[in-house]
Structures are given as structure tokens and as C-alpha cells.
């Protein structure tokens, strides 16, 4: 077929496709279901014409125009991944993704416990380490029977404390998650550092007989805060594992799958940091609340989070049309 | 993403990826230079946004307590730092202000619309891409940084102007090179810096048309070769718009 005949024969399809595509951009609901089906059919025809033109008439106006049309159609009609609503995210995607993170979470918890034990022992053997970690002023306060955390309520207004704590914890979680792309080194560092610091602080407070006060302070927010930090770090470790040991799958594919799961877990875990910041500012330093109440709140928050994370995943809600047909979608090749 | 044979062979049109029905799709991949420039514009916007936020909090929220203003500053700072790129890309379907300025666009690995999750993922690792992103983009045929590899996304040039189809008929035996030359000349004749060169090329193409299809040029006035070539090969203006 000569070039001019090819253009003459196929041009009506291209024109119709471009017209429908423009309507779908301007007002997505302006196309009826039949129009959408027609659009999908024309898209395939444009794609095939594009392939023919690129092979037989490279560099011509028709080839360039079809390339642009094919690209515009592909962008409009294909989507990288399915959209998940907020309810499906929490009730379906989150429990499924969380279960897949459990091995990494167990590893993170084990490393954290080991680092905490090491921190405890080292700080007990080297008391100077506690001074270095806390600073001389905090150690001086400990010697006088006061926890350095009292400053949260006495010197800084609660609204500033809570926003500072929330943004700091969120940043740590985000860095632990995203640092997984460097082979898991960053989340590993965060797990070990936090574990060692907690162990060392426990040792220092034990030395000054203030361990009870420290436990009282962290009872309300500590269990969930540590868990969330470990969960974010576990997601980072999963990313690192996909990068370093992809198995028999292509590394890019393994990374993308790990990232999707890790993102779901992160998105469903981050809002808890805001709740925890309020607890840490308003409840944890409060001397008027009994320890058992703080401990109860801490356990309740942790159990609530774990209940959401470990519940059996509910089936996805299908978005069905009134006539029972599934929504039209041109699936992208994967 | 599967790359078509020859994928990563970056010509002027970008790289080819396999799309629907395994048909190769040419994507005008944006290189490290334009993307770095877009990021520079974006970071300027972030800086400006932070300044505006400080002014807004100090002026508009002056009736509130100083503590609340500090808290607002902290939260705004955090949201701008972590949310600017992802927020803009999700809200506008793959653009930030910098990308819009340079006409760049984030798409999925198949050239489709990138989902919110992918846009979020590619921007969460931006902190580390500031360190290693540019070398990765420079050495990757598809100019992907860490975030793009993780999310399965690409950044392409948006709406590149393409040459309109102008030929309504072609002489027998003409291949794509002759067609492309004639179309390019007719489409760009008005923009040529040296009109004489355009007339000269039109004259030579007319000679080819006369040799291959004498009927196309019968009765045409050759004193204006460009006009004669247009009349010989071009479709009527009404049928030209696709």
C-alpha cells in the first residue's frame, strides 16, 4: 500500500479516535459506554497503524502523528496499577501487605532487641556512654531525681512539642522506609541505633534509680511508637532485600512489588504517629495520671494497630455497573 | 516494563517500550539535563513556598498564640519538604511546577497514566535520589532515577510538536525518505531562514515528481516551485486536520 492511500484509508479512524480522546479528556463522563468501547477499539487500531507506519513509513508526517496519537491514547487509556479506595486500602490491602512484611518485621524486632541488650550492657560497663548520649545536663537532672522528658511539659508548650515529635517520628519512619533503596543499610542503621539508645538509656536510668520513671513515661506511647518504627524499618529491609536478593525474578519487578506492599503498610501506619505525638505530649508526661492507665492506653493502642494489621483481609469491593458489567479498562501489558 | 528490541537506543524521538499487544511505543524520554533543571525550579518553588508560609503564619495567624504559630510553621515545613513533589504529581496527574515549566510528564513504564501509589513511591525516595539520582539518570537509557525504578515510572517530554500530514498523494515508487523530505519542506517552508534553499529543494523534488508521476504536475506553473509542489502533492486544507 502506498503512503497516500494508507493515510486516506485510515485517516477517518484517527480523526474519530482523536475526537473521542479529546472528549474523554474534557469531560470523562461525556462518553457513553458504547463510545468507550469504540474508543478502546480505535486505540488498538491506532496502535497497529502506528506500528505499521513506524516500520514502513518512518520519519513521515503520518508516522509522527500516529506516534503522538498512540502515546496520547496510551496515557489516557492505560493505568499503571489499579486504584484502591480508602476502605479497601485499610480492610484488604493493608492486612495482606502487613502479613508479607512479617518475616522482615521479625528480623527487625530481633535486631532491635539485640541492639538494646548490647546498649544496656555497654552503658552499664561504661557509664560515660550515658553522659555522652544524654548530655551532662540531662544526667545532672537524673542525679537530682528528675527525668529530662519533664521539659516536654514545663518548657515547651504542648502544641509545639506534639508537632515537633510527630514530624520527627514521621521523618524517621519515612527515612527508614525510603532508605531501603540503598540495599537496606539505612533501616538497619535506624533499628540498631534506636535499639542501642533505648538500652543505653535504660541502663543510665537504672544507674540513677530512675528506670521506673522512664518506663512510666514511655508506657503510653512507647509500645506502638517502637512497633511503628520497626514496621517502617521492616518495609525498608524488604526493599533492600528485593534489591540485593531478587531471586529468580527481574530485579526491577521484585523492587516494584516490594515497594507496592511497603507503601501500603507505610501509608496505613503513618497516621498513628500523629496520635502518638498527642499521647506523648499530653498523656505520657502527666504526673496526675496513674501508671496503670498509661500502660493500659499504650497496650490498647498497640493492640488496636495490630488488630487492624493482622485481621483477615476482607474481599475487595467490586465497582460494578448497574447492568452488572465490569468497568471498561484497557489493561496495559505488564 | 519490557523494553522492545533496540530499547534504550535513544534517537531524537526517545526510547521504545512495549505497550499493548506488544507494539513498540516511542517515548520521548526526558534526559538528566531537563529533569535536573525541572528539579531546580521545583526546589526554588519549595523555598518560595516556605517563605510564603512563614509570612502567612506570621501575618494571617498573628491573632493566635506564638506556640500555635510555631507548631504551624513546623507542620507546614514538614508538609512542603515531604509532600510538595508527591502532592503536585498526584493532584495534576504527573506534573510539578518545574515539570510543567519544562513540559515534562511522569508516566507509567508503558506510557500510561502513573497511579497515585507509583507517584508517591517515586517521591518518597527523593532524599536519596538527590545524592545518586543524576548519575543514575545519566547512565540509564531510559533516564530512570532510583524512584523511577522503584515505582516503575518514566519522565517524558510532553506534547512534542509533530509535523502535520500534508501529502494527499505520492508518486509511484516514492519511499518514506522522499515523502518525509517533501512533507518537511511543505510544513516548514514558511520558517526557513534561507527561502532560496527551500525553493531550490522544491525545484529538485518537483523534478522527481515530474519524472515519477508526470500527471501530478501537468498544467502547474513552475515559476513558484514551492506552490507547485504543494499543489502537486498536498491534500486540500479541509481534509488536512487529523
Amino acid at each position: 500500500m502506498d503512503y497516500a492511500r494508507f493515510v486516506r484509508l485510515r485517516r477517518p479512524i484517527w480523526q474519530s479516535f482523536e475526537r473521542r480522546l479529546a472528549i474523554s479528556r474534557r469531560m470523562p463522563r461525556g462518553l457513553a459506554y458504547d463510545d468507550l468501547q469504540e474508543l478502546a477499539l480505535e486505540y488498538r487500531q491506532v496502535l497497529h497503524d502506528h506500528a505499521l507506519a513506524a516500520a514502513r513509513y518512518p520519519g513521515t508526517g503520518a508516522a509522527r502523528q500516529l506516534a503522538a496519537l498512540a502515546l496520547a491514547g496510551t496515557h489516557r487509556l492505560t493505568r499503571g496499577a489499579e486504584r484502591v479506595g480508602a476502605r479497601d486500602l485499610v480492610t484488604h490491602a493493608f492486612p495482606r501487605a502487613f502479613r508479607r512484611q512479617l518475616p522482615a518485621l521479625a528480623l527487625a524486632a530481633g535486631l532491635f532487641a539485640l541492639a538494646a541488650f548490647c546498649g544496656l550492657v555497654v552503658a552499664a560497663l561504661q557509664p560515660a556512654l550515658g553522659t555522652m548520649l544524654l548530655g551532662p545536663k540531662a544526667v545532672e537532672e537524673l542525679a537530682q531525681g528528675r527525668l529530662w522528658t519533664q521539659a516536654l511539659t514545663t518548657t515547651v508548650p504542648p502544641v509545639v512539642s506534639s508537632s515537633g515529635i510527630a514530624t520527627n517520628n514521621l521523618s524517621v519512619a519515612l527515612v527508614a522506609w525510603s532508605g531501603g533503596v540503598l540495599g537496606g543499610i539505612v533501616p538497619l542503621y535506624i533499628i540498631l541505633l534506636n535499639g542501642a539508645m533505648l538500652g543505653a538509656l535504660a541502663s543510665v536510668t537504672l544507674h540513677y534509680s530512675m528506670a521506673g520513671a522512664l518506663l512510666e513515661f514511655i508506657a503510653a506511647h512507647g509500645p506502638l511508637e517502637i512497633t511503628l518504627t520497626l514496621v517502617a524499618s521492616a518495609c525498608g529491609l524488604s526493599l533492600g532485600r528485593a534489591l540485593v536478593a531478587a531471586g529468580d525474578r527481574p530485579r526491577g519487578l521484585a523492587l516494584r512489588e516490594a515497594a507496592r506492599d511497603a507503601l501500603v503498610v507505610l501509608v496505613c501506619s503513618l497516621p498513628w504517629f500523629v496520635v502518638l505525638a498527642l499521647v506523648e505530649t499530653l498523656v505520657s508526661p502527666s504526673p496526675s495520671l496513674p501508671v496503670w492507665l498509661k500502660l493500659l492506653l499504650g497496650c490498647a493502642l498497640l493492640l488496636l494497630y495490630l488488630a487492624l494489621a493482622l485481621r483477615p483481609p476482607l474481599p475487595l469491593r467490586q465497582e460494578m455497573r448497574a447492568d452488572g458489567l465490569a468497568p471498561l479498562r484497557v489493561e496495559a501489558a505488564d | 516494563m519490557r523494553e522492545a528490541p533496540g530499547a534504550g537506543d535513544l534517537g531524537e524521538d526517545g526510547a521504545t517500550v512495549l505497550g499493548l499487544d506488544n507494539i513498540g511505543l516511542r517515548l520521548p524520554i526526558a534526559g538528566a539535563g531537563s529533569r535536573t533543571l525541572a528539579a531546580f525550579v521545583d526546589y526554588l518553588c519549595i523555598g518560595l513556598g516556605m517563605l510564603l508560609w512563614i509570612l502567612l503564619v506570621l501575618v494571617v495567624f498573628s491573632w493566635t498564640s506564638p506556640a500555635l504559630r510555631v507548631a504551624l510553621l513546623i507542620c507546614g515545613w514538614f508538609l512542603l519538604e515531604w509532600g510538595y513533589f508527591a502532592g503536585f504529581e498526584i493532584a495534576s496527574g504527573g506534573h510539578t511546577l518545574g515539570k510543567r515549566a519544562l513540559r515534562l510528564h511522569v508516566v507509567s513504564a508503558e506510557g500510561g497514566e502513573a497511579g497515585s501509589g507509583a507517584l508517591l513511591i517515586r517521591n518518597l525516595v527523593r532524599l536519596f535520589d538527590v545524592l545518586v539520582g543524576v548519575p543514575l539518570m545519566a547512565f540509564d537509557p531510559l533516564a530512570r532515577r532510583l524512584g523511577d525504578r522503584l515505582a516503575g515510572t518514566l519522565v517524558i517530554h510532553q506534547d512534542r510538536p509533530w509535523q502535520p500530514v500534508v501529502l494527499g498523494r505520492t508518486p509511484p515508487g516514492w519511499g518514506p525518505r522522499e515523502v518525509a523530505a517533501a512533507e518537511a519542506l511543505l510544513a516548514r517552508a514558511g520558517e526557513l531562514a534561507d527561502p532560496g534553499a527551500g525553493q531550490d529543494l522544491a525545484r529538485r523534488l518537483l523534478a522527481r515528481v515530474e519524472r515519477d508521476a508526470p500527471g501530478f504536475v501537468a498544467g502547474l506553473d513552475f515559476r513558484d516551485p514551492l506552490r507547485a509542489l504543494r499543489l502537486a502533492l498536498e491534500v486540500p486544507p479541509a481534509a488536512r486536520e487529523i
Side-chain angles (χ1 to χ4, degrees), chain A residues 47-66:
Chain A
L47 266 185
H48 284 261
D49 286 350
H50 157 60
L52 180 74
R56 294 186 59 176
Y57 315 114
T60 60
R64 286 167 186 264
Q65 191 151 11
L66 279 164

Side-chain angles (χ1 to χ4, degrees), chain A residues 90-303:
Chain A
V90 175
T91 60
H92 175 81
F94 178 45
R96 278 166 61 106
F98 190 86
R99 278 159 199 262
R100 286 197 277 265
Q101 303 296 331
L102 283 178
L105 184 58
L107 176 68
L111 288 171
F112 182 83
L114 185 68
F117 178 73
C118 291
L120 189 80
V121 171
V122 170
L125 296 174
Q126 295 284 335
L129 187 71
T131 313
M132 197 181 75
L133 273 175
L134 283 173
K137 197 179 169 191
V139 172
E140 195 179 315
E141 283 189 52
L142 277 176
Q144 292 168 5
R146 286 198 311 271
L147 270 184
W148 68 96
T149 53
Q150 284 178 357
L152 280 174
T153 49
T154 53
T155 58
V156 185
V159 68
V160 177
S161 301
S162 55
S163 53
I165 289 166
T167 52
N168 177 62
N169 289 344
L170 284 167
S171 297
V172 170
L174 289 168
V175 170
W177 188 97
S178 56
V181 292
L182 298 184
I185 293 171
V186 177
L188 196 63
Y189 169 76
I190 287 174
I191 292 167
L192 295 177
L193 181 73
N194 278 288
M197 279 189 71
L198 188 68
L201 292 181
S203 175
V204 174
T205 48
L206 271 171
H207 178 74
Y208 290 100
S209 304
M210 293 291 289
L214 179 69
L215 286 176
E216 182 186 340
F217 176 72
I218 63 170
H221 67 271
L224 184 55
E225 188 173 299
I226 290 169
T227 305
L228 290 177
T229 307
L230 289 180
V231 166
S233 304
C235 291
L237 289 179
S238 295
L239 291 182
R241 184 174 181 273
L243 184 72
V244 176
D248 54 358
R249 292 171 302 166
R251 186 163 278 107
L253 182 65
L255 256 180
R256 284 201 293 279
E257 286 176 2
R260 271 201 293 269
D261 272 350
L263 179 72
V264 169
V265 174
L266 182 79
V267 165
C268 291
S269 301
L270 287 184
W272 289 89
F273 278 113
V274 180
V275 178
L276 283 179
L278 294 174
V279 172
E280 189 169 351
T281 312
L282 303 173
V283 178
S284 296
S286 171
S288 58
L289 292 172
V291 184
W292 64 265
L293 191 61
K294 292 179 183 177
L295 196 59
L296 188 69
L297 179 65
C299 292
L301 284 172
L302 179 62
L303 287 176

Side-chain angles (χ1 to χ4, degrees), chain B:
Chain B
M1 176 183 58
R2 289 169 296 166
E3 295 173 11
D9 176 22
L10 285 172
E12 59 170 351
D13 288 333
T16 303
V17 295
L18 285 183
L20 194 67
D21 289 349
N22 282 341
I23 289 174
L25 198 65
R26 299 290 289 178
L27 297 178
I29 299 290
S34 51
R35 290 182 62 178
T36 307
L37 197 56
F40 178 70
V41 173
D42 281 323
Y43 282 114
L44 280 181
C45 291
I46 290 176
L48 196 65
M50 284 179 171
L51 276 178
L52 284 174
W53 180 243
I54 291 170
L55 283 176
L56 190 78
V57 168
L58 292 181
V59 175
V60 179
F61 292 92
S62 57
W63 53 274
T64 60
S65 68
L68 183 61
R69 273 180 274 161
V70 174
L72 283 171
L73 282 177
I74 292 172
C75 293
W77 196 279
F78 175 81
L79 285 177
L80 267 173
E81 186 186 355
W82 283 97
Y84 167 87
F85 286 97
F88 263 105
E89 286 185 1
I90 290 170
S92 64
H95 301 279
T96 57
L97 295 177
K99 287 192 179 71
R100 200 174 282 283
L102 289 170
R103 303 191 65 76
L104 304 182
H105 194 189
V106 183
V107 295
S108 73
E110 294 83 16
E113 188 183 336
S116 304
L119 293 174
L120 202 53
I121 288 171
R122 73 185 298 277
N123 287 303
L124 278 175
V125 295
R126 188 170 284 276
L127 179 70
F128 299 99
D129 264 327
V130 170
L131 303 173
V132 297
V134 173
L136 278 177
M137 283 191 284
F139 290 110
D140 181 33
L142 296 172
R144 290 168 299 177
R145 59 175 176 82
L146 274 177
D148 291 317
R149 289 164 188 270
L150 205 60
T153 53
L154 298 170
V155 179
I156 61 171
H157 290 283
Q158 190 189 16
D159 295 334
R160 273 197 170 177
W162 71 81
Q163 191 183 341
V165 178
V166 288
L167 296 197
R169 53 184 181 173
T170 48
W174 271 34
R177 292 182 65 178
E178 289 87 352
V179 172
E183 281 180 335
L185 175 64
L186 292 176
R188 298 176 53 212
E191 307 163 14
L192 290 177
D194 179 8
Q199 297 285 2
D200 186 45
L201 182 56
R203 205 169 288 118
R204 285 195 287 169
L205 281 167
L206 268 176
R208 288 286 300 272
V209 175
E210 193 173 22
R211 187 194 71 190
D212 298 331
F216 283 20
V217 292
L220 291 180
D221 184 358
F222 277 33
R223 276 178 300 182
D224 183 352
L226 261 175
R227 185 169 176 277
L229 186 67
R230 198 179 296 279
L231 289 171
L233 301 176
E234 202 176 40
V235 291
R240 208 179 299 152
E241 298 160 6
I242 299 182

Side-chain angles (χ1 to χ4, degrees), chain A residues 77-91:
Chain A
L77 296 174
T78 64
R79 180 178 288 277
E82 291 288 330
R83 271 190 182 156
V84 180
R87 188 173 150 185
D88 283 336
L89 183 73
V90 175
T91 60

